[in-house]
Amino acid sequence: MAQHPAARSLLKRHPLQRLPSPSRGASALLHTIGLASFAYSFNYLVTHPNPVNESYGWHLQYLTIIGLSLATVTFAVGLLADLTLSHRLFQIKNILSVASAPMECLISLLYWGLRAIDPKLVLPDWAPPLALTDDFSFHAMPAISLVVDLLFFSPPYTIAFLPALGLSGFIAFGYWFWIERCYQVNKFYPYPIFEILNTTQRVGLFAFSALLMTTATALLVWLYAVVNGKEIEDVVNGDLKKVKSGNLKGQ
């Protein structure tokens, strides 16, 4: 007997995924809003030029802009999946999210944390102050959008601790090598804190960042379980059936 399209869609959807995605409804709306915010941030870089615009590496010297770029790719693939209802593109979006969501959480934590200590650690003297809306767009909206997408429109992460640590370490130390290359050409670091720290201290900062990003991944896994439950094995009429934790009826 041929399956109804809606039934096939439910079979593809993870049992813990709270809302339909890919879909042309709420999922597409979230991805559209996110992409509009990201486009606003990129437009700001063009309409408010500074010395970084003409330097080697452009604004991609900043971890903020690298994270914003990855978030943009993640949501662009997600929106394409929504519009085409492609499960393959949806899977690619989820794979990208494993890196982009924890990375944006790391960026938000580091930026707002360092800024609370001393704004001069992350904002050079020559840089004009960011308006609150612009600051929010760069340093909060990407993390919020990706976390919402994970919690309500995605299956749970399946990455284990060691692979998460390896991915985080690759990103952190890859960024370190990149900014050192930019420094060789530009003779300045993108963030003032890098000028203050010596080489050993910078290594420690990037190692700490890798650990913090791994912790962010673990916290997202935990938060997903809090919001959506966990999969457990339950015996129903002699068969193994996956149910949400706390769901005694197995529905």
Side-chain angles (χ1 to χ4, degrees):
M1 180 181 295
Q3 287 183 322
H4 190 276
R8 290 197 298 269
S9 176
L10 287 173
L11 288 175
K12 288 183 177 181
R13 179 173 158 188
H14 192 281
L16 295 181
Q17 184 176 317
R18 184 167 290 268
L19 298 174
S21 183
S23 79
R24 294 166 183 163
S27 178
L29 178 61
L30 171 66
H31 293 142
T32 300
I33 292 173
L35 287 171
S37 173
F38 305 159
Y40 174 87
S41 296
F42 280 116
N43 181 68
Y44 181 94
L45 301 179
V46 177
T47 57
H48 296 74
N50 58 51
V52 177
N53 288 67
E54 305 300 326
S55 65
Y56 178 80
W58 193 64
H59 287 276
L60 289 173
Q61 297 172 70
Y62 291 96
L63 186 62
T64 295
I65 306 305
I66 295 175
L68 182 65
S69 301
L70 183 56
T72 301
V73 173
T74 302
F75 265 38
V77 174
L79 182 58
L80 284 174
D82 293 327
L83 297 177
T84 62
L85 301 180
S86 169
H87 195 68
R88 178 61 60 85
L89 288 175
F90 177 67
Q91 290 175 320
I92 294 174
K93 184 269 294 184
N94 294 332
I95 292 172
L96 291 170
S97 173
V98 174
S100 58
M103 185 175 176
E104 279 298 345
C105 289
L106 169 68
I107 290 169
S108 294
L109 287 170
L110 289 177
Y111 176 80
W112 295 109
L114 291 172
R115 179 163 180 165
I117 296 172
D118 185 352
K120 292 182 179 180
L121 293 175
V122 289
L123 298 172
D125 293 333
W126 51 261
L130 286 171
L132 181 59
T133 53
D134 300 323
D135 216 357
F136 184 85
S137 178
F138 277 111
H139 301 108
M141 188 63 180
I144 293 171
S145 301
L146 286 162
V147 170
V148 170
D149 181 68
L150 169 64
L151 295 182
F152 298 101
F153 299 97
S154 304
Y157 286 165
T158 57
I159 190 170
F161 176 81
L162 287 180
L165 181 61
L167 176 62
S168 301
F170 176 80
I171 292 174
F173 285 95
Y175 177 62
W176 177 41
F177 293 136
W178 166 238
I179 63 163
E180 292 295 343
R181 169 58 183 165
C182 292
Y183 179 81
Q184 291 175 358
V185 178
N186 300 324
K187 304 305 178 185
F188 67 85
Y189 285 109
Y191 295 108
I193 188 174
F194 295 152
E195 300 278 3
I196 299 172
L197 303 177
N198 59 36
T199 300
T200 301
Q201 291 169 331
R202 283 196 293 273
V203 172
L205 175 62
F206 287 112
F208 172 74
S209 298
L211 184 59
L212 190 59
M213 181 173 167
T214 306
T215 303
T217 304
L219 286 175
L220 288 174
V221 171
W222 172 81
L223 186 59
Y224 190 100
V226 170
V227 173
N228 300 303
K230 296 180 180 180
E231 285 186 293
I232 61 175
E233 298 293 339
D234 188 22
V235 178
V236 179
N237 298 324
D239 296 324
L240 287 176
K241 183 177 180 181
K242 289 187 176 180
V243 299
K244 293 183 180 180
S245 60
N247 188 341
L248 298 181
K249 295 183 179 179
Q251 296 176 343

